[in-house]
Amino acid sequence: DVHLDPSTRADHLAPNHTNKWLGNKNVRKAINMAIDRDAIVKLVTFGYGKPANSFLPAGMLYCNPDNKAYPYDPEQAKALLAQEGAEDLSFVLTHEAGSKVDEQLAIMVQQQLAQVGIDFSLRKVDPAQTIPVLIDGDYELSPVYWTNDVIDPDQKTTFSMGGDSNNNFFTRYANPEAAKLVDQARVETDIDRAHQGRDVGLAFAEPAQDRVLAAAAVADVVLHEARRLARPHEPPVRRHHRHLG
């Protein structure tokens, strides 16, 4: 038997925003809507996970369970791509060689995006090179994941949208408004106001708000939150932010 405990792991498909098309908010939204998160959770986590609705992992302070996630809607994804004139798109998905999770995820994303006309080629890199590739920006899309050190959201919000030397989780995403909210929340002493400010996921991951779409669906395609503490075939976490320098 395998003992299961709650996990704060959240997986993302990180786009490099310096790419012309990945820098386009509607193209990123289309990619979101073309990915069947439920199918990924079922296969990759054996059902021991759930689709994420925020870049903040479940269990983190101020994570808003009421955030709306983009629905799985390939037809709407096609319409958004057509609206932007994004035809015959082709991207390279870079992932870690030997990681069963990354390999399964990459193949599923490749197959799902093919249904909306986006071609994905897969590029495997040595495990020792996965972080340098992200740091150098030598990728177009890549699976990444996060696990919490602490339950305070300062870590994740700063790392993902604070505009520091990590280049916003290596995505090169730039949003001065989001960075300003993060800075304000970090020094806010009023609990109620801190709650509003720190849940940047509400302001920047809510598809129903125009401001959110402009903010790029939080820069990442949030795929799933894993609930399994350990998987027999997977080596220890190597992409945790503590090891990123």
Side-chain angles (χ1 to χ4, degrees), residues 161-163 168 172-180 204 211-212 214-216:
M161 290 190 291
N168 289 338
R172 279 67 182 167
Y173 172 69
N175 189 316
E177 184 182 0
K180 182 178 179 180
F204 291 92
R211 182 173 67 157
V212 175

Side-chain angles (χ1 to χ4, degrees), residues 27-176:
V27 170
R28 293 193 300 274
K29 182 179 178 182
I31 292 174
N32 262 296
M33 301 182 80
I35 292 176
D36 186 349
R37 295 172 182 80
D38 288 327
I40 290 174
V41 166
K42 183 177 180 180
L43 179 64
V44 179
T45 74
F46 304 102
Y48 293 103
K50 65 178 182 179
N53 67 343
S54 172
F55 77 106
L56 296 180
M60 180 175 279
L61 283 175
Y62 313 125
C63 178
N64 191 328
D66 297 324
N67 279 343
K68 292 183 174 62
Y70 287 106
Y72 174 53
D73 190 340
E75 294 306 313
Q76 181 61 24
K78 292 178 184 178
L80 285 169
L81 294 173
Q83 175 183 319
E84 297 302 314
E87 299 179 354
D88 301 320
L89 292 185
S90 179
F91 299 117
V92 177
L93 193 155
T94 300
H95 68 91
E96 180 181 308
S99 167
K100 297 300 183 183
V101 171
D102 277 10
E103 289 175 1
Q104 290 176 320
L105 179 61
I107 291 171
M108 292 190 72
V109 169
Q110 182 186 47
Q111 293 173 343
Q112 291 172 4
L113 292 182
Q115 301 303 309
V116 300
I118 300 178
D119 179 66
F120 261 56
S121 57
L122 305 182
R123 170 196 176 201
K124 297 182 181 181
V125 296
D126 184 89
Q129 291 302 311
T130 54
I131 298 304
V133 162
L134 292 170
I135 292 174
D136 294 340
D138 181 24
Y139 75 99
E140 292 182 331
L141 290 120
S142 181
V144 297
Y145 67 81
W146 177 276
T147 57
N148 288 349
D149 278 335
V150 296
I151 63 172
D152 192 286
D154 284 354
Q155 255 188 344
K156 184 70 182 289
T157 55
T158 301
F159 195 83
S160 300
M161 290 190 291
D164 61 11
S165 60
N166 292 303
N167 287 311
N168 289 338
F169 216 148
F170 312 119
T171 63
R172 279 67 182 167
Y173 172 69
N175 189 316

Side-chain angles (χ1 to χ4, degrees), residues 174-202:
N175 189 316
E177 184 182 0
K180 182 178 179 180
L181 283 175
V182 171
D183 287 342
Q184 290 174 346
R186 296 183 73 189
V187 297
E188 180 58 64
T189 57
D190 183 277
I191 297 298
D192 291 333
R193 294 186 64 185
H195 189 167
Q196 296 173 3
R198 283 176 173 170
D199 191 7
V200 184
L202 177 61

